[in-house]
Amino acid sequence: MAGPTVVADPAAAESRGAEREWPSTGAAYWALTVIVLATFLTFFDAVTFGMLAERIKHDFGLTDSQLGFLAGPASIICYLFVGIPLARLADIYPRKYVLAGGAAVVGVIISLGGFAQTFVQFVGSRVFLAAGGSAHAPSSYSLLADAFPPKKLTRAFALLQFGFIGGTTLGPLIGGALVVMTANWEPAQLGPLTIRGWQWILMFMGLPGLLVGLLFLTVQEPVRLAPAADAPKVPQGAGLGRKILTFMGLDALRAINAKPRVYYPLFGALALSAVEVFGLQFWRVPFMIRTFGWNEQQIGAALGITVLAGSLSGLLLGSVLVEWLAKRHKDANVRAAAICFAGTTVSSIAAILMPTAWGSMILFGFSGMFGLAGAVPQNAAVQRVAPNDMRGQVTAFYLFMFTFFGAMGSFVVGRVQDVIIGDPTQLWKALLITACTLLPLATFLMIRAIKPYREEVERLEAAGL
């Protein structure tokens, strides 16, 4: 049911192996195009939701901790219990159907969030939103890894970042303008429901997800590589309990734990950086409002410029850096990510300390540049070493670190602000504390991952994989 597979040639290391059947160039790039559109909608929603932060806080009477919880932990409560099993579907069923269903569900749930009447209902919408979208990255990464040959995979992941660039660029521009436009709208009554002006933004923002779900049905499902001979397998005749454990990720965890020196530093670095990056991303708008007195439209326009410039520069920097390092090092992916982590650390801390609004915005752009430049080699690195028959779940666990700890970022900053700092006008101090604590540790772990990753790549090449 997962579609056709092709068996790897064990003699490939000596004979270079038989040519694997790859989709046509047109089919591969069409799949990438639809995935880019779905990724765009994901980040557009996240950024626009961040633009609504102060409005949501005011209308629902929230503390900074509650606001941080709504933006972060509320979105990942179901991820471990839903995201990992859905990623298993990407390993055993055609991935285009998993992606189609996820995109449609996300669109519906985003729209439903516009009808929320209480804080609890809003939390519920963010919970189910994350559950619906949790299969997107594992399924899309797995599909791309089977649609593009290894030498072109890094390029595909680089082009995938246009979804991120579009969402994070148009999100502030369009989202900021819409927030200001709807600010003075009188609440509307839809039966027993009171709809605030900004909630109309959410209602209409979910509709494109249904269209993207239909587009996924037109994607060609690529041929999968058959499992390696030594890959963990469910024992024949295994009971229902054992099969459920496999569906929940047991064998993928075994594969990860079998190579702790390779995976653990990568996972740890991603987790620590995600807390700070996502926390800073969410609180960036309140930071600019409270520190410099800008409104959402001013912030959105400035972010649109700096994010676009930083993202395009990051895409170029990441591609050039990886290709240059690849001529000299087999660990180019992780080595490039470590360099970019260092750049993100310096830029983020400096942005918070800038005495002017535009100074902060420009350095936020540099932080985004290094962040995007490092994202491409990170993703390619995991796809290179993950077992092909459980790539979806291994990727899901990797992205769980990104999603879970990233979602905790807004809450962590909110708690530091409420418990340690106290004064809402001094939000920059909370951001500085978390940045100075987490980003240097993340950079250190990524550096530690370089050697074991190189050794694993050399082992795979020797095995003809």
Side-chain angles (χ1 to χ4, degrees), residues 218-443:
T218 69
V219 169
Q220 176 184 331
E221 180 72 18
V223 172
R224 296 175 187 263
L225 192 66
D230 60 349
K233 298 180 179 65
V234 180
Q236 289 189 352
L240 177 61
R242 178 65 174 84
K243 292 179 180 178
I244 291 176
L245 288 175
T246 295
F247 212 78
M248 293 299 296
L250 174 64
D251 293 320
L253 281 176
R254 288 172 56 197
I256 293 168
N257 290 327
K259 296 181 173 64
R261 293 178 63 248
V262 177
Y263 288 107
Y264 287 0
L266 291 174
F267 280 43
L270 184 66
L272 290 173
S273 66
V275 174
E276 175 56 28
V277 170
F278 274 79
L280 183 59
Q281 184 182 76
F282 178 77
W283 287 102
R284 185 169 50 193
V285 174
F287 164 72
M288 297 299 294
I289 292 173
R290 300 180 194 182
T291 305
F292 300 110
W294 281 18
N295 64 34
E296 289 91 347
Q297 189 165 10
Q298 289 174 300
I299 298 168
L303 281 176
I305 296 170
T306 55
V307 168
L308 178 60
S311 297
L312 293 176
S313 300
L315 200 60
L316 178 62
L317 173 63
S319 300
V320 171
L321 182 61
V322 172
E323 289 181 7
W324 182 75
L325 290 173
K327 297 175 181 178
R328 299 161 177 79
H329 307 282
K330 293 185 181 297
D331 54 29
N333 283 328
V334 177
R335 190 177 293 262
I339 293 171
C340 293
F341 267 50
T344 300
T345 300
V346 174
S347 300
S348 297
I349 293 173
I352 298 166
L353 294 173
M354 281 292 104
T356 65
W358 271 108
S360 289
M361 280 295 184
I362 291 170
L363 281 165
F364 281 140
F366 275 99
S367 176
M369 177 187 74
F370 285 113
L372 186 63
V376 172
Q378 284 182 78
N379 293 331
V382 173
Q383 298 307 305
R384 180 68 183 93
V385 298
N388 58 75
D389 61 315
M390 55 186 70
R391 190 185 293 128
Q393 282 194 315
V394 170
T395 302
F397 277 114
Y398 183 66
L399 293 178
F400 174 73
M401 308 302 289
F402 179 72
T403 304
F404 178 84
F405 288 95
M408 292 298 294
S410 59
F411 180 68
V412 168
V413 173
R415 289 300 293 169
V416 171
Q417 171 63 26
D418 282 343
V419 176
I420 298 177
I421 306 303
D423 183 357
T425 65
Q426 301 294 304
L427 176 60
W428 69 270
K429 293 181 180 179
L431 295 173
L432 186 64
I433 289 172
T434 55
C436 289
T437 303
L438 299 171
L439 290 178
L441 286 174
T443 303

Side-chain angles (χ1 to χ4, degrees), residues 25 39-40 121 126 135 153 182 200 264 387 411:
T25 300
T39 304
F40 164 80
Q121 291 175 357
R126 303 311 288 182
L153 184 58
T182 59
W200 292 103
Y264 287 0
F411 180 68

Side-chain angles (χ1 to χ4, degrees), residues 49 52-58 62-73 119 282-283 286 290 410-411 414 418:
F49 189 78
L52 293 168
E54 291 294 283
R55 309 289 174 174
I56 295 171
K57 177 181 179 179
H58 176 268
L62 308 181
T63 65
D64 282 338
S65 295
Q66 289 176 311
L67 183 60
F69 177 83
L70 178 62
F119 174 64
F282 178 77
W283 287 102
R290 300 180 194 182
S410 59
F411 180 68
D418 282 343

Side-chain angles (χ1 to χ4, degrees), residues 178-253:
L178 289 175
V179 171
V180 172
M181 181 183 73
T182 59
N184 296 320
W185 288 11
E186 292 296 326
Q189 289 296 136
L190 292 180
L193 304 180
T194 300
I195 307 299
R196 301 164 181 86
W198 54 264
Q199 288 184 287
W200 292 103
I201 300 173
L202 295 177
M203 290 183 195
F204 289 102
M205 202 164 62
L207 299 180
L210 300 175
L211 174 61
V212 172
L214 293 175
L215 289 178
F216 269 121
L217 299 179
T218 69
V219 169
Q220 176 184 331
E221 180 72 18
V223 172
R224 296 175 187 263
L225 192 66
D230 60 349
K233 298 180 179 65
V234 180
Q236 289 189 352
L240 177 61
R242 178 65 174 84
K243 292 179 180 178
I244 291 176
L245 288 175
T246 295
F247 212 78
M248 293 299 296
L250 174 64
D251 293 320
L253 281 176

